[in-house]
Amino acid sequence: MFPQTPTISLFIVLASLVLCNGYYIQEPFYKTNVKHYLVHDGRLIKTKHEHFGLLTRANRAIHLSSSRPRGTVSVDDFGAKADGRDDSEAFGKAWNEACSRGAILVVPENKIYRLKPITFSGPCRPNTAFMLYGTIEAWTQMSAYQEDRQHWIVFDRVSNFRVGGGGTFNGKGKKWWQSSCKVNTNHQCNDGPRPKAVTFYQCNNLKVTNLRFKDAPQMHVTFEGCFNVIVSNLVIRAPGDSPNTDGIHVADTQNIVISNTDIGTGDDCISIISGSQNVRATDITCGPGHGISIGSLGADNSEAEVSNVVVNRATLIGTANGVRIKTWQGGSGYARNIKFLNIAMQNVTNPIIVDQYYCDQAKPCQEQDSAVQLSNVLYQNIRGTSASEVAIKFDCSRAVPCRQIYVQDVILEPQGHGGTIATCENVRYVNRGNFFPQCTP
């Protein structure tokens, strides 16, 4: 072992004093990586096969040797009033303290705190936690989001971290929905992005459990660039006509398990996009909403990579889609090794759908000679009723057909009178066991 020089000793002392130096308000770190991503309909889309860059902070250093929790920190002790005024500053101070000690930040029950856009920044000491027992509401004045219209609450690079407590994040999204062109046709579709409610950015070894989310302006919970994530016992609610209010959005995230979660919103209950691998969703209740989706992928001629996704034991009720894979023309890359297992459908429109001609824009999309390759997809033990005549739709790319599609024990009957059919274009599939309705030649 090399002996410590006085210079090295002085550096260690100085570094240990600069512990978890803070939250910040309205300082969007995402801009450092914008060149690698496009924003399409409020979603990050990877343009090249590159991971998010690291955010550097010269004034941040932390010693992570101890993993023992160091007590609790209440936001009230730092001046939070829960009286209708902005409590962001008090929350920031409480976070600095909890982060530097590896403590549990407590948001007391039976109180409603209002926050402007805020980022809770790491790295922190291990076992830092954010326990929400009460309610946090979003600041409703749009002017507060001028510097970053895409985010309300962000947990940035906090590892070995848990968030829970049984409380509620309320995004107060009604005003934002009313300004959307999807709700008010008098608005043009360039009305800009709306804030995601809660974003976890580059968080590793993360647990998010026992929480309620409601009325996000856009997505409710997003995981971007995270690794080793457990999500369980969430309840997520927004009106069925609220635009782009996905329940859980997974982007560029590996090793995530989502379980025992009840989602009803105006968009996808769960959406999984490029860069995501080893995603497992079990015991999910979905409705209203647009179902459980992989995609959209390949927008703006981007490259997509999604693999090893399992959706097991889900119940979908009255949704606009069931289990869906959606890709744009002109994309590239792949979505493969995907399993949809043991799923119950009740009055679901488009129960099983692959749409490689997805086009969520006013201007028609032109067919192109490239597409995301779909392969090795299994649909097994999926049963229930379809609200649409077409219960199974494989609309695959002519240029890059779907291959290795397996259908086993799938029975989808009409919700009312009439029948159901399957339409299967440019797909190579294998039928095992019961399969109704079957593809017509």
Side-chain angles (χ1 to χ4, degrees), residues 242-313:
S242 56
N244 302 112
T245 52
D246 299 42
I248 297 174
H249 183 65
V250 180
D252 199 32
T253 289
Q254 291 83 46
N255 301 348
I256 178 170
V257 176
I258 304 166
S259 64
N260 299 302
T261 290
D262 186 350
I263 305 170
T265 69
D267 209 301
D268 296 328
C269 292
I270 298 174
S271 54
I272 302 164
I273 67 166
S274 186
S276 298
Q277 300 176 11
N278 303 326
V279 180
R280 187 175 185 91
T282 62
D283 299 308
I284 306 298
T285 301
C286 172
H290 293 182
I292 298 173
S293 295
I294 295 174
S296 63
L297 306 175
D300 300 309
N301 300 318
S302 61
E303 179 184 2
E305 296 180 358
V306 173
S307 63
N308 301 331
V309 177
V310 177
V311 178
N312 187 19
R313 300 195 305 271

Side-chain angles (χ1 to χ4, degrees), residues 74-220:
S74 173
V75 295
D76 287 359
D77 293 339
F78 289 81
K81 301 297 184 183
D83 60 0
R85 290 178 289 184
D86 176 27
D87 280 319
S88 300
E89 183 176 357
F91 270 68
K93 291 177 180 178
W95 173 258
N96 287 348
E97 179 68 16
C99 177
S100 65
R101 289 168 41 193
I104 300 171
L105 185 148
V106 173
V107 181
E109 62 183 344
N110 300 321
K111 293 184 177 183
I112 299 174
Y113 300 86
R114 291 181 172 86
L115 299 185
K116 292 181 179 179
I118 185 169
T119 293
F120 299 106
S121 244
C124 298
R125 288 186 181 272
N127 294 322
T128 299
F130 189 107
M131 302 306 290
L132 172 61
Y133 299 109
T135 296
I136 298 176
E137 287 188 350
W139 199 256
T140 56
Q141 294 180 8
M142 294 183 180
S143 59
Y145 300 83
Q146 286 181 348
E147 292 186 24
D148 179 9
R149 283 175 59 95
Q150 295 194 51
H151 304 91
W152 172 38
I153 293 175
V154 178
F155 294 96
D156 168 24
R157 296 185 306 120
V158 189
S159 297
N160 304 306
F161 178 52
R162 58 193 172 99
V163 182
T168 300
F169 289 98
N170 185 346
K172 303 288 286 185
K174 185 175 180 179
K175 181 184 294 186
W176 294 91
W177 307 331
Q178 291 172 340
S179 68
S180 168
C181 62
K182 291 186 177 183
V183 173
N184 188 340
T185 56
N186 293 324
H187 286 263
Q188 295 183 349
C189 284
N190 60 357
D191 52 351
R194 286 169 278 123
K196 303 168 190 175
V198 178
T199 299
F200 295 92
Y201 179 80
Q202 290 192 352
C203 295
N204 300 331
N205 304 323
L206 169 69
K207 290 185 179 180
V208 181
T209 61
N210 301 309
L211 289 167
R212 295 182 63 90
F213 297 82
K214 64 177 294 187
D215 295 347
Q218 192 169 247
M219 300 169 185
H220 284 79

